[in-house]
Amino acid sequence: MHQQALTHRSYWLDTIPPGEPAPGPDGDLTVDVAVVGAGIAGLSTAWELTRRGHGVAVLEADRLAAGVTGNTTAKLSALHTLVYDRLRRTRGREAARLYARSQSEAIRAAADLVAERGIDCDWEEAPAFTYTEEADRLPELRAEAEAAREAGLPASFVTETGLPFPVAGAVRVTGQAQFHPRKYLMALADAIRGAGGRLYEHTRVVGLREGEPCVLTTEAGVRVSARAVVVATHYPVFDRALLFTRLSPRRELVVAGPVDAARAPDGMYITPEGSTRSARTAPLPDGGRLLIVTGEHFTPGTGGDVEARFGELGAWAADRFGVDRLSHRWAAQDNDSTDTVPLVGPLHPASRHVHVATGFGGWGMSGGIMAGRLLADLITGTPCPWSDLYDPRRIRPVVREGGHFLKHQAQVARHFVGDRLLAPARPPADGLAPGEGAVLTVDGRRCAVHRDDDGQLHAVSARCTHMGCLVAFNAAERTWECPCHGSRFDVDGNVLQGPAVRPLEPRDLGV
Ligand code: FES
């Protein structure tokens, strides 16, 4: 029987691939607002501003909705694992209420847009669950159900989830949604263009000067002047507020395959932190359902045998849902803020015209849409009830989120300083088998060396161009990953994901 090959890209990018790229600006530009990054946060911000009559240019280094947003699991839920009990304990009941309202209004705004414009994006209303199979975690889930209900969500504690296996208990929130993110965002991009917004692809911004106006410089040397700037590049590429000390990158694997209707659950599911498994389904063109499973998270560059991790996830999908053939596999990347609340607002304490949206954890769909409204309100001087909740200036590290902050900084220091001091034995380049990669010391310099399937060596500097940490090889994805802040590079050093904006320098191995 013919077995369809496993596609190493997301289902969303596979079914709606990027078409002809929109050209970059052909000369200097002046606009009201420049948005850097065309994921869901950037495009949602651009939409909110264009529909309010502002002139907007979106500058995307790669392709629209093809980075982190193109690799999401695309759940639109206000239930974010166990956020409400934590929020009411750390920031109070009003903060929990505002969080619930802001996320719920984002989902409603997307639903309204889909209905108004007739967007065909596989939109489905579905309940969201945080579930556990471990009885000793039930008190946490009961507390979360109570906190989420108190925050205003239609939440309850349940033991029936629709999953084809028993659970100890779950928090259920009804009336949430799931969709095809690229279908939605391609329609949103059309709407932005239709309202006069300009979208530029393959336009990497490499410089930002805040002022009146702010001036952005692209890699091609084009200057973009704007009254306000939004940095929506997932991990912020410009960061004078040192937000990178308050964000931890997390890579998470995803597998997908057709699931039998009898075992296809109706909702969206996630387990609490620590042993994360997440699942949802999506409609297939043939009328069947695709199961999408996420898990096996790790700090980029520290995933060990990532191939084996994909195997674990596939085995879990087979065991729990009877999925006997995977059609797709890919990886998502998230940034966790120190207090698990996104950072949306002024880029740094003195900033008046430059804003940022980052730190959505695993919840960038509702978070990105929420950020679009919040940033449009800030830029247009419109009061927003939850601007303080998400204000990036709120965090006083060490004092408030000391444990998380110090742990992440210790990890960064280890990769930044420790990797320079420790010099473990390195195999010579001729010891690399096809598909392998390693950091080698060549003429006293650290080189990131990969041998491709044809036997050719690819050698680049192993120093990340963001702040100089050593990159590490991910053999399953054939990428170099930086453990400090999550930058990713292809085997020839090209930037796949920031905050780095410059490629790894080529190295000559002299072979
Ligand atoms: Fe910051 Fe590499 S991403 S040093």
Side-chain angles (χ1 to χ4, degrees), residues 244 416 464-471 482-487 489 498-500:
F244 59 76
F416 185 68
C464 176
T465 54
H466 178 229
M467 290 181 65
C469 290
L470 274 187
V471 296
C482 180
C484 287
H485 315 109
S487 291
F489 305 85

Side-chain angles (χ1 to χ4, degrees), residues 199-271:
L199 305 178
Y200 300 105
E201 297 181 288
H202 293 314
T203 302
R204 186 178 296 280
V205 175
V206 294
L208 164 62
R209 197 192 70 222
E210 181 165 4
E212 294 179 359
C214 303
V215 179
L216 294 161
T217 313
T218 73
E219 204 169 29
V222 170
R223 286 159 55 93
V224 179
S225 303
R227 201 163 40 76
V229 170
V230 170
V231 179
T233 55
H234 196 233
Y235 215 111
V237 292
F238 301 108
D239 190 9
R240 278 183 288 155
L242 305 182
L243 289 179
F244 59 76
T245 62
R246 294 144 196 209
L247 292 169
S248 311
R250 172 164 50 94
R251 200 145 182 82
E252 196 151 35
L253 306 183
V254 189
V255 297
V259 61
D260 197 72
R263 295 177 81 171
D266 290 334
M268 302 174 285
Y269 304 86
I270 193 163
T271 55

Side-chain angles (χ1 to χ4, degrees), residues 18-25 58-65 193 199-204:
E20 275 297 301
V58 179
L59 307 159
E60 166 57 46
D62 191 358
R63 307 301 306 274
L64 302 182
R193 289 192 186 97
L199 305 178
Y200 300 105
E201 297 181 288
H202 293 314
T203 302
R204 186 178 296 280

Side-chain angles (χ1 to χ4, degrees), residues 4 10 102 148 151 239 283 307 406 438 462:
Q4 190 191 328
S10 79
S102 63
D239 190 9
E307 197 64 53
L406 292 173

